[in-house]
Amino acid sequence: MVNKTIKSAIESMMFVWGEPLSIKDIADVFNMDKKDIYECCKQLQDEYEREGRGIVIREVNNSFQFVTRKENRDYIERLCTPVRRRRLSQSALETLAIVAYRQPVTKGEIEAIRGIRCDRVIEGLVSKNLVMQVGRAETVGRPMLYGTTDEFLKQFEFETLKDMPPIEDIEGAIFEDEEAPVFEGIAGQISLDELNENEG
């Protein structure tokens, strides 16, 4: 099967699938090596970027997905019926930052940094699919360990956790500017000073 045909089929698959489509699933469909499929996806991604298309291909944890080009957001917002944006509380954003940079982390460790209980905050982040349970710690009581999800990567526009900025730049990662939070449908603000005070 020629490369052009494979890329065309992958394009159709991503369009129909909607969610990030994993390299493994694509490779299984074609009965091909995952490295070859990954290369086809990267080529397709480069073609879309080179042509300046309104749709771009985003990579998330070795999966690929169609998304709209960031620069076209104003036009999309004018077209779509405005929806009320849900706001993450400051405590939720602080907790999310701790999980992102300390993962895997227990609830007790998060509370030790923040100085307050965070049961409901963690439940809220789990319900928003930004945080998930990733296992249990090998300590007394075997407390639950928490980490971030692929949805977290998508909302922050990271390909992998290695793309996360240094901790001192977390505010820049959350906001492109004051009016445009990276989290889709979420607005809020995190205080690094307060977070650093809690760590001390």
Side-chain angles (χ1 to χ4, degrees), residues 58-60 67-71 73 150-160 163-164 173 176 181-184:
R58 178 170 62 191
E59 181 178 358
V60 179
V67 296
T68 55
R69 184 171 292 279
K70 188 188 308 181
E71 292 82 357
R73 183 173 62 185
D150 283 353
E151 182 65 21
F152 168 83
L153 294 176
K154 286 167 54 181
Q155 297 290 2
F156 275 100
E157 299 184 353
F158 298 144
E159 290 186 6
T160 69
D163 296 326
M164 288 171 55
E176 294 175 287
V182 173
F183 275 156
E184 186 176 280

Side-chain angles (χ1 to χ4, degrees), residues 2-183:
V2 297
N3 197 16
K4 184 176 180 181
T5 303
I6 294 173
K7 286 192 292 184
S8 175
I10 292 173
E11 199 171 8
S12 298
M13 290 161 64
M14 281 194 295
F15 178 80
V16 171
W17 198 248
E19 293 298 314
L21 184 58
S22 72
I23 293 299
K24 180 183 181 305
D25 287 340
I26 301 173
D28 287 345
V29 169
F30 289 104
N31 195 25
M32 289 177 58
D33 186 84
K34 287 187 288 188
K35 289 183 180 179
D36 294 333
I37 290 297
Y38 182 81
E39 183 59 32
C40 284
C41 288
K42 293 300 287 185
Q43 288 177 14
L44 194 59
Q45 184 183 46
D46 290 342
E47 289 171 13
Y48 269 72
E49 188 60 38
R50 200 164 49 242
E51 295 173 11
R53 306 285 289 273
I55 298 294
V56 297
I57 298 173
R58 178 170 62 191
E59 181 178 358
V60 179
N61 253 0
N62 223 30
S63 299
F64 290 84
Q65 178 186 29
F66 277 134
V67 296
T68 55
R69 184 171 292 279
K70 188 188 308 181
E71 292 82 357
N72 294 337
R73 183 173 62 185
D74 287 345
Y75 306 110
I76 296 170
E77 287 180 348
R78 292 177 201 172
L79 174 67
C80 299
T81 304
V83 246
R84 185 179 178 183
R85 293 187 171 185
R86 299 183 62 186
R87 185 177 296 272
L88 272 185
S89 66
Q90 182 166 313
S91 60
L93 284 165
E94 289 174 0
T95 301
L96 182 57
I98 293 169
V99 174
Y101 284 92
R102 296 290 186 90
Q103 61 185 310
V105 62
T106 66
K107 181 172 70 70
E109 290 169 336
I110 297 170
E111 291 174 344
I113 293 172
R114 298 200 60 238
I116 57 174
R117 293 185 62 84
C118 58
D119 301 74
R120 289 191 175 182
V121 175
I122 292 176
E123 287 175 7
L125 292 173
V126 170
S127 70
K128 290 179 172 64
N129 197 27
L130 297 173
V131 167
M132 66 179 178
Q133 298 175 351
V134 295
R136 290 188 178 274
E138 296 296 331
T139 55
V140 177
R142 302 204 63 203
M144 191 66 67
L145 289 167
Y146 293 91
T148 53
T149 63
D150 283 353
E151 182 65 21
F152 168 83
L153 294 176
K154 286 167 54 181
Q155 297 290 2
F156 275 100
E157 299 184 353
F158 298 144
E159 290 186 6
T160 69
L161 291 173
K162 293 179 181 179
D163 296 326
M164 288 171 55
I167 181 63
E168 61 269 17
D169 294 337
I170 185 63
E171 291 189 54
I174 293 176
F175 293 105
E176 294 175 287
D177 55 62
E178 292 182 358
E179 299 299 326
V182 173
F183 275 156

